[in-house]
Amino acid sequence: MAKTYKIAVLGGDGTGPEVVREGIKVLKAVAAVEGFKLDLADYDWGGERYLKTGEILPPNAIAEMKKHDAIFLGAIGHPDVKPGILEKGILLTLRFALDQYINLRPVKLFPGVETPLKNKGPADIDYVVVRENSGDAYTGSGGVMMKGTPHEVATQTAVYTRHQVDRCLKYAFDLTKKRKKKNTLALCGKTNVLTFLYDLWERAFHEMGQAKYPKIKREYYHVDATCMWMIKNPEWFDVIVTGNMFGDIITDLGAITQGGMGIAAGGNINPEGVSMFEPIGGSAPKYTGQNIINPLAAICAGQMMLETLGEEKAAARIEKAVMKVVAKDLKSLSAGKMGKSTSEVGDLVAKYSV
Ligand code: IPM
Ligand code: MN
């Protein structure tokens, strides 16, 4: 019997639903040729629903998501809702409640795609950032006192437990081993200032590496230097592992070196549970409904989803098709400048995938 995957589809805000539609088009095309089925369930969570009903997520949201094999997410963020409400209330809530402790963000430049890095090409830009996704300054630890007075105090505490650090490092070491590329894992930290937090990371990194992964080369970079080398010598990197906040920041930098937000995908992964895949670019509200946004990041998120579900052949088909489209059909990866519409790009990838 054909395998069926239950996928929760959260189009979300802005251009989210448009790019997700193209992602699903491609997923359906490869499912048909590889012989598996998709059982898709739509959820209308996002800014529009919040503005209409006042509710950010229904009370059964997490239980509902746990019934699925994976979640396919468009984008969260609405121009009429104060920043933070939907991001924390939906995106971060799902990441945390489903314990998606890895945020996997590949930085890979495909042939034919323009990069702002001078004299660098696809052979130089091909690495993965493993961003820890459950701790750091994202936990909500902190608060404000004497708000609105000249003595106002605000704190937001970066928190890591050994358990969180270890499970993330294990994932990163395993991935480095599996990639068989440069066999090098780089820890990105800030041990010269965050002497508690990244001291924990650094000790755990070397302890685990020495004991369990002696063949994997370990490197350490401060986060500021990491930014510099991602521009100057991206070919040094194979897998970079880092905390949640640094991971957030360096992956936007990485994304622009691989052609921008039109192509950058990410996976919020719980290796033992329900994972969620998304284009990392956001809701791009000004392009909503114009059929000009680039759906490739969402399509690549779908590819990561299939890879994680174990449909590696189907995933490889999508990657090959995306590479063909960017090399051959698109003038640019930017919204409105592709020389093709959103749905035409989806059609082409679907066609090349089968
Ligand atoms: C990302 C985003 C989110 C984050 C925001 C929207 C909460 O920037 O996925 O990178 O900081 O993780
Ligand atoms: Mn970000």
Side-chain angles (χ1 to χ4, degrees), residues 54-303:
E55 186 179 77
I56 301 176
L57 277 180
N60 64 343
I62 300 306
E64 195 62 34
M65 290 301 100
K66 285 186 177 162
K67 293 183 197 158
H68 294 86
D69 295 306
I71 304 168
F72 193 35
L73 171 73
I76 297 296
H78 194 290
D80 301 335
V81 181
K82 193 175 156 220
I85 294 182
L86 300 168
E87 292 85 345
K88 272 190 166 172
I90 300 178
L91 184 64
L92 297 182
T93 296
L94 290 172
R95 285 179 184 171
F96 279 72
L98 297 168
D99 203 17
Q100 294 162 340
Y101 61 86
I102 300 295
N103 198 325
L104 192 62
R105 298 189 161 182
V107 180
K108 184 169 180 176
L109 178 70
F110 290 145
V113 174
E114 209 181 312
T115 173
L117 302 190
K118 202 168 99 191
N119 301 330
K120 298 292 176 190
D124 306 303
I125 303 173
D126 182 7
Y127 56 94
V128 182
V129 178
V130 176
R131 166 185 175 190
E132 201 289 330
N133 213 28
S134 70
D136 213 334
Y138 279 73
T139 52
S141 169
V144 62
M145 291 181 293
M146 296 175 275
K147 192 167 182 172
T149 75
H151 298 284
E152 180 168 343
V153 183
T155 62
Q156 199 109 35
T157 313
V159 182
Y160 266 116
T161 68
R162 177 76 195 229
H163 168 71
Q164 286 174 319
V165 171
D166 275 341
R167 66 183 183 175
C168 178
L169 289 171
K170 177 179 185 303
Y171 186 94
F173 275 115
D174 285 339
L175 177 68
T176 311
K177 206 163 133 185
K178 190 173 152 208
R179 264 170 70 84
K180 291 198 186 74
K181 223 178 154 244
K182 296 166 79 89
N183 233 19
T184 303
L185 179 61
L187 172 65
C188 161
K190 189 73 185 172
T191 52
N192 52 351
V193 175
L194 305 183
T195 51
F196 310 127
L197 208 62
Y198 279 98
D199 176 62
L200 167 59
W201 274 88
E202 198 180 31
R203 272 182 293 119
F205 177 59
H206 290 303
E207 274 173 35
M208 186 178 289
Q210 222 157 41
K212 302 228 173 86
Y213 304 91
K215 293 201 184 113
I216 293 179
K217 200 173 149 223
R218 299 187 298 273
E219 292 180 340
Y220 171 81
Y221 300 93
H222 292 321
V223 62
D224 41 1
T226 307
C227 293
M228 185 170 76
W229 300 124
M230 281 169 67
I231 301 301
K232 178 99 193 334
N233 296 107
E235 67 280 4
W236 286 358
F237 296 116
D238 179 3
V239 179
I240 300 176
V241 63
T242 189
N244 206 346
M245 181 62 95
F246 294 163
D248 175 45
I249 297 166
I250 69 169
T251 52
D252 268 27
L253 180 62
I256 206 71
T257 67
Q258 69 176 125
M261 290 308 184
I263 188 104
N268 301 278
I269 295 176
N270 176 343
E272 298 89 36
V274 183
S275 300
M276 176 167 76
F277 300 85
E278 54 173 336
I280 73 176
S283 60
K286 67 176 177 185
Y287 299 123
T288 306
Q290 297 176 46
N291 202 20
I292 60 170
I293 191 80
N294 187 344
L296 288 177
I299 292 170
C300 291
Q303 172 206 329

